[in-house]
Amino acid sequence: MNPRELFQRLAAHADLKLVLSGGLTAFFCLFYFGLQKISLFPPRQLPPTAFEAWIGYRPSWIWVYQSIYGLLSLYPWLCTSREDLKRYARGFFLLSGISFVIFLVLPVEALRPDPFPENLMKRLLGGYNGRLNAFPSLHAGLAFYTLLFASRSFAATIRPALHATWMTIGAIWGGLVLFATLAAQLHYL
């Protein structure tokens, strides 16, 4: 994909992309942050699996964990179809909404150490990320959803070799984010 093609993809339906970017972010933040202040039931903490114990706590992976916001933003902005953008938004609402209901009725605390060791990204993360959103992992769900969406959306609009390249990059990025959810001890296997 040359720079001209990339610009055309980014500019396609930019008005809808801006509205959806703002709307999805507002929806997500309202419920995500609001539910961290509500605890209808006592939170649970799950025992770590052997794999989680083997990984341990690796604070540098918080940077990779946070990179999901780039992944979630990049692929929808590369869409060229209004219907695909609307489909992405519906799936995002559904996946997030189901997770928010689970956060409310079955709160699960993150495994992360207490006190959570300090570093720059930890301070940022700690400023907005509570402990009651460890299961299900929206990082895992939204990463997979976004990659599956992108694969479907791109299959008809870009050359097969380029499609494979974008999906390989996304799969590696998504896999690193999944590992980071465990290494930063913010979610469970």
Side-chain angles (χ1 to χ4, degrees):
M1 183 178 313
N2 65 44
R4 183 171 174 254
E5 290 173 316
L6 179 60
F7 179 76
Q8 288 174 334
R9 281 189 164 274
L10 294 171
H13 311 295
D15 57 337
L16 180 58
K17 290 174 181 177
L18 286 169
V19 168
L20 289 177
S21 293
L24 294 176
T25 300
F27 164 78
F28 186 87
C29 290
L30 175 70
F31 286 98
Y32 184 82
F33 298 132
L35 288 172
Q36 292 183 46
K37 309 253 187 278
I38 300 169
S39 186
L40 299 179
F41 302 99
R44 297 174 172 89
Q45 191 172 65
L46 305 175
T49 64
F51 185 65
E52 290 163 329
W54 173 77
I55 292 172
Y57 176 63
R58 300 177 186 194
S60 61
W61 280 87
I62 290 174
W63 291 89
V64 177
Y65 179 83
Q66 294 290 78
S67 78
I68 191 168
Y69 304 113
L71 177 70
L72 297 180
S73 299
L74 175 64
Y75 281 92
W77 271 88
L78 293 173
C79 279
T80 57
S81 159
R82 289 184 84 80
E83 185 51 42
D84 278 350
L85 289 165
K86 292 175 183 176
R87 182 178 291 115
Y88 180 78
R90 287 190 301 268
F92 184 97
F93 281 125
L94 182 64
L95 180 63
S96 299
I98 290 169
S99 295
F100 294 149
V101 169
I102 294 170
F103 292 165
L104 182 64
V105 298
L106 187 66
V108 176
E109 285 185 315
L111 186 63
R112 68 184 181 207
D114 194 19
F116 205 14
E118 287 293 324
N119 68 32
L120 175 66
M121 188 55 76
K122 182 330 193 156
R123 281 193 296 279
L124 174 65
L125 182 66
Y128 72 83
N129 193 29
R131 293 182 69 101
L132 300 181
N133 54 3
F135 179 82
S137 168
L138 277 167
H139 268 70
L142 289 173
F144 271 108
Y145 172 69
T146 299
L147 291 170
L148 291 172
F149 163 80
S151 181
R152 181 191 176 283
S153 177
F154 292 177
T157 62
I158 61 177
R159 297 182 307 279
L162 185 57
H163 179 263
T165 300
W166 276 107
M167 292 303 95
T168 299
I169 291 167
I172 291 168
W173 190 354
L176 291 171
V177 168
L178 290 178
F179 182 79
T181 67
L182 302 177
Q185 294 189 336
L186 295 163
H187 299 286
Y188 294 92
L189 182 62

